[in-house]
Amino acid sequence: MDAIIKSARIKKKLKLKDVAQLLNVDSSLISKFEAGVRKPTREQIIKLSHHLEIDAHDLLIHWLSDQVVDQIGYGNFALEVLSVAEEKVRYYKKSELKINEDLNKILKQIDTLKDKLTQYRDLDSYKITEALELEYTFESNRIEGNTLTLKETDLVVNEGITISGKSMREHLEAINHKEAIAYLKGLILKDSEFSERDLLLLHSLILKGIEPKYAGVYRDVQVMISGSKHLPPQPYIIKKQMEDLFFWYEANKNHLHPVILAAELSERLVTIHPFLDGNGRTSRLIMNLILLKKGYVIANIKGDAENRMKYYQSLENAQVENKKDEFHLFIAQEELAAIKRYCSILGI
């Protein structure tokens, strides 16, 4: 790993002090990283991969392998441990491949349609995008209990009209979600990497004017999810679990199919349930951020009773029984339906 870091730094024609400034550490520490005397932290590994343009997946593999060796040492005992671990990994990987056969078929259909759609993007228009984003705002809020109709949502976010009989919270949920989509699209235009800062800013937009005290901050109390067997983690371990989430994302962002990456990131976030409110909307925004960045379309999960139940049930099965394939399949089916519709609208 030390040689990889040094080689990447030299390739980018950076001095030790340049890298140190980027990581906000002393130059001597970077020198120790390159000499193999000190090991970077997980956060430093992520920053190094960004600034030195190293595939985070590869760098993390070397970093984790060093951690394993530090724990188990060398010799026959270490080889026995690694052999047992390899058997377990192969067993679970084999099981996953059997389960995901139907999912793989859907992913191939999605990619075929995506390639087709890419060729006809010039037929797209602002009006189509605006209408589909409005539907997304309507459905995502409906999942969470917002009672505004699609037309009322349009009047609120595009005409600034107040709907009689609807609460201020429902109005703000619609307005805030549209602003969050705009922020999300800005990240895509800048080709920015998804970060914790982006997550917190997105969440702050979702709760703006609704729960200002809790907007963009992790919860500091324990919560329960009504009607669910899943119990979110205690607040004192949220920061660590969120660090693990971004660690996982960096390791897998270039090595998983984008639809699976988006679904898994969404599920992991909502399972941690880091915020007091707005977890569902935020997790779906992050999911669609990944999809849009990779050239796919918004996976718009419908908020009607039947589809909402399917969504929640597949999510709970992932959270409680670790049956993630069911949730991945659900999201893939939603993306397939969305991209088919998009192609139909464009007449291709």
Side-chain angles (χ1 to χ4, degrees):
M1 182 184 67
D2 46 351
I4 295 174
I5 295 172
K6 184 175 183 178
S7 176
R9 177 181 64 78
I10 294 172
K11 185 177 180 180
K12 287 187 67 66
K13 299 179 180 179
L14 294 173
K15 297 179 179 179
L16 289 172
K17 65 177 183 180
D18 298 327
V19 179
Q21 287 177 348
L22 292 170
L23 268 66
N24 196 27
V25 296
D26 190 84
S27 299
S28 62
L29 186 59
I30 304 300
S31 179
K32 290 176 181 177
F33 291 164
E34 294 186 356
V37 178
R38 285 280 298 276
K39 297 288 191 298
T41 64
R42 293 198 302 178
E43 292 71 33
Q44 288 167 342
I45 282 290
I46 300 303
K47 289 180 179 179
L48 284 166
S49 69
H50 283 164
H51 295 307
L52 298 181
E53 297 180 8
I54 308 171
D55 189 326
H57 179 272
D58 294 339
L59 196 57
L60 287 168
I61 285 176
H62 286 282
W63 183 80
L64 286 169
S65 66
D66 287 345
Q67 306 299 312
V68 171
V69 171
D70 287 344
Q71 288 292 318
I72 64 175
Y74 301 91
N76 290 335
F77 176 75
L79 291 173
E80 289 174 17
V81 171
L82 290 173
S83 178
V84 172
E86 184 179 16
E87 287 180 16
K88 290 181 179 180
V89 170
R90 287 186 182 279
Y91 171 78
Y92 287 114
K93 186 63 178 176
K94 186 177 180 181
S95 299
E96 279 184 14
L97 290 173
K98 287 182 179 179
I99 293 170
N100 289 336
E101 188 174 338
D102 290 338
L103 175 59
N104 288 332
K105 290 179 181 178
I106 292 177
L107 294 178
K108 288 179 182 177
Q109 292 180 61
I110 291 171
D111 286 338
T112 298
L113 289 171
K114 181 208 166 205
D115 292 341
K116 183 179 180 182
L117 182 60
T118 301
Q119 298 174 29
Y120 293 90
R121 281 291 189 180
D122 56 334
L123 298 177
D124 206 346
S125 72
Y126 171 75
K127 285 295 183 182
I128 293 174
T129 301
E130 184 181 50
L132 292 174
E133 288 174 1
L134 177 71
E135 288 184 4
Y136 172 43
T137 289
F138 162 65
E139 297 290 2
S140 192
N141 281 335
R142 185 158 69 133
I143 288 173
E144 306 301 331
N146 190 298
T147 64
L148 289 174
T149 64
L150 178 60
K151 184 58 182 176
E152 288 170 342
T153 303
D154 179 33
L155 292 172
V156 170
V157 302
N158 293 322
E159 304 295 335
I161 294 175
T162 301
I163 308 300
S164 177
K166 302 297 182 179
S167 69
M168 179 57 68
R169 180 185 178 110
E170 288 179 306
H171 285 75
L172 288 173
E173 285 177 346
I175 295 167
N176 291 353
H177 197 273
K178 182 181 179 180
E179 288 187 18
I181 292 175
Y183 177 75
L184 181 149
K185 291 168 68 177
L187 292 176
I188 295 168
L189 284 174
K190 292 188 293 185
D191 197 25
S192 301
E193 275 300 334
F194 171 55
S195 67
E196 184 177 33
R197 178 178 177 274
D198 298 322
L199 171 66
L200 295 177
L201 280 172
L202 271 174
H203 182 260
S204 69
L205 289 173
I206 289 294
L207 286 192
K208 188 173 70 172
I210 299 174
E211 295 281 2
K213 179 181 177 182
Y214 301 108
V217 296
Y218 296 141
R219 60 181 167 86
D220 57 1
V221 295
Q222 178 60 7
V223 294
M224 291 184 67
I225 303 172
S226 180
S228 174
K229 296 178 182 177
H230 170 63
L231 182 65
Q234 293 287 338
Y236 66 87
I237 62 173
I238 287 176
K239 184 64 178 175
K240 171 63 167 58
Q241 292 204 350
M242 291 304 294
E243 289 174 359
D244 290 343
L245 175 69
F246 284 98
F247 184 79
W248 175 88
Y249 170 70
E250 291 294 337
N252 290 278
K253 66 182 181 182
N254 296 321
H255 298 270
L256 286 178
H257 188 284
V259 174
I260 301 302
L261 177 68
E264 184 69 12
L265 189 60
S266 175
E267 182 270 313
R268 285 176 181 246
L269 178 61
V270 82
T271 296
I272 297 170
H273 212 81
F275 306 110
L276 198 62
D277 192 11
N279 292 280
R281 274 172 279 243
T282 303
S283 70
R284 291 188 291 277
L285 281 165
I286 295 305
M287 176 181 74
N288 282 308
L289 169 63
I290 302 303
L291 291 173
L292 291 173
K293 276 174 66 72
K294 297 293 186 178
Y296 295 85
V297 302
I298 287 175
N300 189 10
I301 302 169
K302 304 299 183 292
D304 60 277
E306 182 180 355
N307 212 57
R308 180 169 51 187
M309 183 56 67
K310 289 180 181 177
Y311 170 57
Y312 281 143
Q313 190 59 60
S314 63
L315 183 58
E316 181 160 307
N317 287 343
Q319 294 171 330
V320 178
E321 301 179 31
N322 202 34
K323 294 181 178 178
K324 291 176 179 276
D325 56 291
E326 187 177 329
F327 184 71
H328 295 167
L329 182 61
F330 176 83
I331 298 301
Q333 289 169 336
E334 293 295 309
E335 176 63 14
L336 179 60
I339 203 165
K340 279 183 176 179
R341 185 179 177 217
Y342 212 114
C343 288
S344 176
I345 291 171
L346 296 180
I348 59 176

